[in-house]
Amino acid sequence: MTALEEFRATVREWLADNLSGDFAALRGLGGPGREHEAFDERIEWDRHLAAAGWTCLGWPEEYGGRDASVEERVVFHEEYARAEAPARVSHLGEELLGPTLIALGTDAQRARFLPPIRRVEELWCQGYSEPGAGSDLASVSTSAVLNDGEFVITGQKVWTSLAHVAQWCFAVVRTTPGAKRHAGLSYLLVPMDQPGVSVRPIEQLTGGSEFNEVFFDGARTTADLVVGEVGGGWQVAMATLAFERGVATLGLQVGFRRELEALVSLARDTGVLDDPVIREKLTRARIGLDVMRWHALRTIDGEGASVTKLVWANWHRGLGELAMEVLGAAGMVTDGDLSEWQRLFLFSRSDTIYGGSNEIQRNIIAERVLGLPREARA
């Protein structure tokens, strides 16, 4: 048995032993569109993981991580998904902000924020999108003015996942008045529990409210909580986005495979699988999933991140549409509670928007990977 196989066996055994007792009821709960499910209990599960050393796997050991290899992290995420372990609540801090601070933060910032992230004692949200600047991050207008050692922040963020439960926000704001596009942006760490910060949940098609509007009206954060240089926020934000599309997507795909297998079973049980058109579409979905996995493995942590996002988002949205075809007329009816397939169809519409819309990903691929001329911008 290779070292990687031994690691896989260890992860699998630990999850089997620990997803028991009260934690057994958490199997399959949470995730996009379902973050409201057993939220407090899932926090306790995350802290249980942390106590056993299963959080922040890729972080260096000096910051409390395991310094796990990419291969080991892929194995962990795959086994975690196969065990139907509950969706993590600390993803934004652990997978996005933590690696960003390790790479670009100060020693003081790492000392202050990394330990509570690893122990799941502080939750984070991401202040990127705005009403007039969705995936076009360079167009943000939320401003921050330095005054007596503090940045005073004014503006609005939107589609801010889990802002209503987060203690902190990492936000991209404009600190140079009159600067355009990428220039003059800064990456600030902002406490959420203060006067001048208000959060308004946005009710989604699925009935949940994990996305939020966040209003900054004179909110403050100290000058030492800018990550990187003042005015250098674009580079820091791009580093965070690169971490967002890392190895966790392999675990995401295990969940996709489980959804597809369940849909095939539904089609078989209802007789819809005998329809050659449906059967062909399900077959193409299976092939697409295999292609997605091999592409992600080949390009992980490289320039293929935008392609990977484009592929999985469109595939998953297509699966939701295929589920409605399998259900037929029954998919149009609800007694007030959405079925898992109706929820998949509705929420997967957002897959091609959050984390970088299809249009933005295609621009990135064209301009930065293929070297095509930049799109004309106002």
Side-chain angles (χ1 to χ4, degrees), residues 77-297:
H77 285 293
E78 287 181 338
E79 292 302 321
Y80 192 90
R82 288 193 179 105
E84 296 187 76
R88 304 287 308 282
V89 299
S90 57
H91 169 80
L92 290 167
E94 179 178 335
E95 300 286 353
L96 277 68
L97 180 66
T100 301
L101 291 182
I102 289 170
L104 300 170
T106 64
D107 288 341
Q109 290 167 353
R110 288 190 283 264
R112 164 60 183 87
F113 293 111
L114 294 184
I117 290 174
R118 187 187 63 79
R119 295 191 299 262
V120 198
E121 293 173 352
E122 291 179 341
L123 300 181
W124 287 79
C125 60
Q126 181 181 45
Y128 277 19
S129 295
E130 297 182 6
S135 292
D136 186 9
L137 182 59
S139 295
V140 300
S141 60
T142 295
S143 65
V145 178
L146 192 59
N147 182 21
D148 292 333
E150 291 185 317
F151 283 103
V152 182
I153 308 164
T154 303
Q156 178 186 357
K157 297 293 182 178
V158 74
W159 312 123
T160 311
S161 298
L162 301 181
H164 59 298
V165 294
Q167 287 82 41
W168 287 85
C169 175
F170 53 97
V172 175
V173 301
R174 194 164 296 281
T175 49
T176 304
K180 294 184 178 181
R181 304 294 300 167
H182 311 88
L185 298 176
S186 297
Y187 189 109
L188 303 183
L189 310 179
V190 184
M192 295 290 286
D193 185 14
Q194 64 165 306
V197 176
S198 56
V199 179
R200 181 186 301 164
I202 300 171
E203 185 172 351
Q204 299 149 202
L205 288 171
T206 55
S209 300
E210 67 196 61
F211 298 144
N212 301 269
E213 294 177 283
V214 178
F215 299 89
F216 298 107
D217 185 12
R220 294 174 177 265
T221 195
T222 54
D224 61 334
L225 294 186
V226 56
V227 181
E229 299 293 331
V230 174
W234 177 258
Q235 290 76 15
V236 182
M238 291 302 100
T240 301
L241 287 176
F243 291 124
E244 182 178 20
R245 296 164 190 159
V247 297
T249 60
L250 274 300
L252 188 71
Q253 291 171 31
V254 174
F256 290 170
R257 188 171 298 274
R258 188 162 53 242
E259 289 175 336
L260 176 59
E261 290 171 352
L263 186 59
V264 171
S265 295
L266 175 65
R268 182 179 295 112
D269 292 343
T270 58
V272 177
L273 194 59
D274 295 332
D275 184 329
V277 174
I278 294 293
R279 188 165 60 249
E280 179 186 0
K281 289 183 177 182
L282 288 167
T283 301
R284 287 183 178 276
R286 176 67 60 89
I287 294 171
L289 189 57
D290 289 339
V291 170
M292 184 196 314
R293 172 176 169 75
W294 288 112
H295 171 79
L297 287 170

Side-chain angles (χ1 to χ4, degrees), residues 14-68:
W14 190 90
L15 288 169
D17 290 343
N18 286 268
L19 278 170
S20 58
D22 292 339
F23 289 139
L26 301 182
R27 288 181 183 267
L29 297 184
R34 301 166 56 197
E35 290 290 1
H36 61 284
E37 295 178 339
F39 191 83
D40 292 339
E41 293 82 357
R42 286 164 46 221
I43 289 179
E44 291 306 312
W45 165 253
D46 270 18
R47 290 172 178 163
H48 184 68
L49 285 171
W54 290 114
T55 56
C56 308
L57 297 185
W59 292 16
E61 291 182 4
E62 63 180 299
Y63 300 121
R66 284 179 174 249
D67 206 12

